[in-house]
């Protein structure tokens, strides 16, 4: 019988090394520390308060080994279920408890999840540009680093700043979708122009970079179902690995129309956080990849349930991994990626170097894949003294408007 690991302290750490991160630290009576990521980009303090004011008092004195029981307690006893704030809170606690259990076992977390099912997790990098020349340089940079899968985002001629396109001078992809302070920046949007232009980008990319490289694209929820169907069909000759968030998918039934009209693989779900969000998409095989993250979908326990359900329908994982998932969330994702059978791909948008001053990670990149490393637990250490140098800085996500000023999906 395992001796209990009684929870003695629960701390919520908010810091902004290059961008805001909310980290949960759970400490046991014996001084074993577990970390969890609770970063909800643009709404960070809502999660921090939920954790600090409502959850921390419930955790003190519990046995950290009882992960499933604690998950169910936080999910059911709150009464108010699901949603990004609640599920990010549960996620952070879940990650921290898995971290503690694996540290106590002296094993990297993936061993406790069933052991490695592969050598590493295939990742995709981001490439972007204000025009095709810049995009070409960006793709060449990623391929030179050893990446085999690249997401392409490019400015549409005649449209201003838009999602996923990094600053022209940034060199390495450095899209920061918010000013570091102040209110939302507004971006313009014109679906007709985008739909006319995008297929030519992928035609160019295939001619330039050949058939082997895996190419992805994110439509970031901006299309109607019929527009999404047309885009998927127009992109078919260029063999995308996936087309992401082609519609908002809040009405999952609308994906039936997209599916009937295109065989371009579809990935959806970075804003979703529960099994209920995915049920119809999975049962009707309306998607090919589940895009949820460990950080927003109830942790390792929550996301694994969704992935296991998806596996019954030959749907694979494609975990969300932008820089607003902290290095703790990234590490957790990699342990799960390594262990599950229906792994597809992992997004990898490298953190800025400043983040590395606060989070020391053990994951490593090799031959287009990430491996979580073999340090006990998640393999991440948090430097609180370094974090003190980077106080929380309010930052908003942009807003999108159509040419006539109508608010649109961002
Ligand atoms: C995204 C994100 O990585 C992605 O595919 O769509 O960049 C997303 O915009 C951010 O996570 C929002 O916080
Ligand atoms: Mg996305």
């Amino acid at each position: 019988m395992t001796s209990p690991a009684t929870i003695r302290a629960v701390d919520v750490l908010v810091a902004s090394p290059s961008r805001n991160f909310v980290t949960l630290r759970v400490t046991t009576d014996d001084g074993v520390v577990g970390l969890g990521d609770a970063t909800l980009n643009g709404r960070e303090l809502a999660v921090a308060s939920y954790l600090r004011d409502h959850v921390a008092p419930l955790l003190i004195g519990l046995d950290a080994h009882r992960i499933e029981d604690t998950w169910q307690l936080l999910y059911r006893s709150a009464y108010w279920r699901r949603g990004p704030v609640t599920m990010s809170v549960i996620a952070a606690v879940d990650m921290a408890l898995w971290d503690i259990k694996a540290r106590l076992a002296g094993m990297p977390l993936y061993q406790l999840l069933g052991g490695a099912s592969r050598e590493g997790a295939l990742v995709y990098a981001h490439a972007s540009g204000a025009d095709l020349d810049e995009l070409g340089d960006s793709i060449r940079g990623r391929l030179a680093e050893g990446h085999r899968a690249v997401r392409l985002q490019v400015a549409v001629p005649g449209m201003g700043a838009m999602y996923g396109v990094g600053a022209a001078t940034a060199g390495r992809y450095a899209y920061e979708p918010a000013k570091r302070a102040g209110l939302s920046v507004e971006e313009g949007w014109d679906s007709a122009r985008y739909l006319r232009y995008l297929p030519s980008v992928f035609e160019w990319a295939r001619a330039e970079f050949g058939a082997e490289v895996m190419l992805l694209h994110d439509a970031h929820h901006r299309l109607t179902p019929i527009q999404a169907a047309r885009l998927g069909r127009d992109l078919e000759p260029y063999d995308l690995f996936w087309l992401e968030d082609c519609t908002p998918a809040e009405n999952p039934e609308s994906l039936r129309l997209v599916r009937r009209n295109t065989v371009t693989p579809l990935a959806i779900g970075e804003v979703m956080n529960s099994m209920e969000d995915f049920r119809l998409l999975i049962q009707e095989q309306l998607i090919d990849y589940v895009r949820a993250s460990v950080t927003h979908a109830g942790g390792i326990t929550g996301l694994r349930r969704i992935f296991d359900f998806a596996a019954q329908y030959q749907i694979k994982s494609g975990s969300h991994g932008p820089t607003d998932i902290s290095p703790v969330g990234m590490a957790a994702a990699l342990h799960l990626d390594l262990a599950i059978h229906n792994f597809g791909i992992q997004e990898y948008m490298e953190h800025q170097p400043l983040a590395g001053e606060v989070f020391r990670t053990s994951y490593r990149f090799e031959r287009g894949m990430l491996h979580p490393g073999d340090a006990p637990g998640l393999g991440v250490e948090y430097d609180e003294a370094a974090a003190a140098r980077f106080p929380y800085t309010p930052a908003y996500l942009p807003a999108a408007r159509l040419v006539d000023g109508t608010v649109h999906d961002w």
Side-chain angles (χ1 to χ4, degrees), residues 78-254:
Y79 189 66
W80 312 108
R81 294 181 190 196
R82 304 162 55 192
V85 176
T86 301
M87 298 311 282
S88 301
V89 160
I90 295 176
V93 175
D94 185 78
M95 264 180 255
L97 299 191
W98 275 111
D99 193 12
I100 289 172
K101 193 186 279 294
R103 285 180 199 241
L104 283 168
M107 289 183 188
L109 175 61
Y110 71 82
Q111 294 292 10
L112 272 58
L113 301 176
S117 289
R118 57 192 53 77
E119 287 169 26
L122 172 72
V123 296
Y124 71 89
H126 288 199
S128 81
D131 54 31
L132 294 186
D133 279 350
E134 258 187 49
L135 178 61
D137 290 346
S138 179
I139 298 170
R140 270 183 284 279
R142 301 295 86 83
L143 297 179
E145 290 163 353
H147 284 286
R148 292 185 277 142
V150 188
R151 186 189 88 162
L152 310 190
Q153 306 294 132
V154 66
V156 176
M159 265 198 252
M162 60 177 284
Y163 168 76
V165 179
T169 52
R172 145 159 249 97
Y173 178 85
Y175 178 64
E176 172 60 52
K179 280 194 176 157
R180 296 302 299 153
L183 302 175
S184 288
V185 176
E186 292 195 347
E187 298 178 346
W189 182 251
D190 181 344
S191 296
R193 264 179 206 268
Y194 166 79
L195 289 172
R196 282 197 301 271
Y197 181 59
L198 198 72
S200 70
V201 173
F202 280 86
E203 183 182 15
W204 161 86
R206 279 288 172 224
E208 198 77 11
F209 296 97
E212 284 279 294
V213 56
M214 291 169 258
L215 299 178
L216 299 82
H217 178 71
D218 189 348
H220 221 248
H221 323 271
R222 298 191 180 199
L223 303 176
T224 63
I226 199 72
Q227 290 170 335
R230 175 179 149 197
L231 182 62
R233 185 180 278 186
D234 288 353
L235 291 173
E236 279 172 20
Y238 315 114
D239 188 25
L240 266 63
F241 186 95
W242 78 34
L243 170 62
E244 177 184 343
D245 286 334
C246 60
T247 70
E250 283 153 4
N251 50 341
E253 295 83 356
S254 70

Side-chain angles (χ1 to χ4, degrees), residues 278-290:
F278 282 101
R279 193 191 309 281
L280 190 96
L281 292 174
I282 291 174
Q283 274 178 332
E284 292 198 15
Q285 289 176 274
L286 298 173
I287 55 173
D288 301 280
Y289 296 92
V290 167

Side-chain angles (χ1 to χ4, degrees), residues 95 104 134 153 161 226 261 268 270 272 294 312 322 374:
M95 264 180 255
L104 283 168
E134 258 187 49
Q153 306 294 132
I226 199 72
N261 285 286
I268 284 188
E270 68 184 39
M272 297 178 176
V294 169
Q312 308 312 309
D374 285 300

